[in-house]
Amino acid sequence: MEQVEQNKSVFLNTSLIATIGVLAAAVFWGTSFGVAKESMLYTGVLMFLVIRFCCTLLVIFPLVSKKLNKQVWLQLAPTGGILSIIYLAETYGLKHTTASNAAFLISLFIIFTPAVDALFNRHKLAVTDLFAGCIAIAGVWLLVGDSLNTVTFNIGNILILIAALGRAAFVVTTKKKMNQQHCDPMVATFIQLSVVTAVCISLLVFTVPVEQFIIPSAPEFWLYIGYLVIFCTLFAFYFQIMG
């Protein structure tokens, strides 16, 4: 009986930590748009993404190097492809719209996710999920509504909407892959971001002239990168997968 109570207590504590972590991750993600937009004043979109994710992988690699194997790579690499589309659409979209517009539009993935999940896994869409999503969107509106510009169908806003749909697909497919091949959330993050980094480096090399390969030296830029790496990527992804 005592063992059951201890197990129950551990489960509740873990669940509480995961919930708090996901909420904190949502806050960090919300701030990431303004920080990313400021970062891109110093360099181009692709170079920004390459720097951001190379730094992220350097931090993660020592933590996961002994846990990587071919089977896990093959299982999770396709989700990295989806994530590549998300980050490219999201970052290029942010270049052409405001940070507040981007934050609001990307939050629509909260509503898109249960719809994509129902379509992908062929089950009925729960009304409670939609209701909860609407409440979440209303909360985002209350936070950023005053600073929103008119959300028109310009290229920036369209790209952010594509990224929001992509995030919904990413959440659903990652969850399914993790159920099929359980692994450490940090390992999953490393594999997914490795694919993103490879895609961004390839695009940078083949589409951007060498003279435009600008690595900023400004301390502010590297502070922005540090914040995005630690809080908006490592922390946020870990708790998204854990949750």
Side-chain angles (χ1 to χ4, degrees):
M1 187 67 178
E2 183 178 348
Q3 183 65 41
V4 172
E5 290 298 323
Q6 288 178 348
N7 291 340
K8 183 178 179 181
S9 177
V10 170
F11 173 78
L12 290 174
N13 288 337
T14 303
S15 179
L16 179 61
I17 291 171
T19 301
I20 294 172
V22 169
L23 289 173
V27 173
F28 290 134
W29 260 333
T31 61
S32 69
F33 295 99
V35 176
K37 198 168 181 70
E38 287 294 317
S39 300
M40 285 186 288
L41 296 175
Y42 296 86
T43 190
V45 171
L46 287 172
M47 181 59 78
F48 161 71
L49 289 172
V50 168
I51 292 171
R52 174 180 178 179
F53 293 122
C54 281
C55 289
T56 304
L57 294 180
L58 285 173
V59 174
I60 301 178
F61 182 72
L63 304 175
V64 302
S65 59
K66 296 180 180 179
K67 301 177 182 179
L68 296 170
N69 61 69
K70 183 179 179 181
Q71 186 177 3
V72 176
W73 270 96
L74 292 175
Q75 190 74 14
L76 290 171
T79 62
I82 298 173
L83 193 60
S84 301
I85 296 170
I86 293 168
Y87 272 114
L88 288 167
E90 189 175 275
T91 311
Y92 275 107
L94 182 60
K95 191 80 173 176
H96 298 286
T97 191
T98 63
S100 54
N101 277 7
F104 175 73
L105 290 171
I106 202 68
S107 70
L108 295 177
F109 92 91
I110 299 170
I111 290 179
F112 295 157
T113 299
V116 170
D117 184 51
L119 182 65
F120 192 79
N121 293 308
R122 298 181 181 180
H123 63 76
K124 289 184 178 180
L125 181 60
V127 177
T128 52
D129 288 340
L130 279 179
F131 181 69
C134 289
I135 291 176
I137 298 301
V140 175
W141 178 270
L142 289 174
L143 287 172
V144 302
D146 289 342
S147 56
L148 282 176
N149 291 350
T150 303
V151 180
T152 56
F153 283 97
N154 61 37
I155 185 63
N157 292 332
I158 290 171
L159 285 171
I160 297 295
L161 280 173
I162 291 172
L165 279 169
R167 280 200 179 276
F170 174 74
V171 169
V172 173
T173 53
T174 297
K175 182 179 179 182
K176 186 170 184 177
K177 295 290 186 182
M178 290 288 285
N179 287 337
Q180 294 172 349
Q181 177 68 55
H182 180 72
C183 70
D184 187 319
M186 198 62 77
V187 172
T189 299
F190 180 83
I191 292 171
Q192 291 165 337
L193 293 183
S194 293
V195 175
V196 176
T197 306
V199 169
C200 290
I201 290 175
S202 300
L203 289 173
L204 178 70
V205 170
F206 289 110
T207 65
V208 179
V210 175
E211 58 270 19
Q212 294 181 22
F213 286 18
I214 300 172
I215 300 178
S217 58
E220 294 85 358
F221 173 81
W222 293 101
L223 285 174
Y224 294 147
I225 290 294
Y227 178 80
L228 290 169
V229 167
I230 296 170
F231 297 105
C232 304
T233 306
L234 295 180
F235 182 92
F237 269 74
Y238 182 87
F239 278 102
Q240 177 187 336
I241 295 172
M242 181 180 172

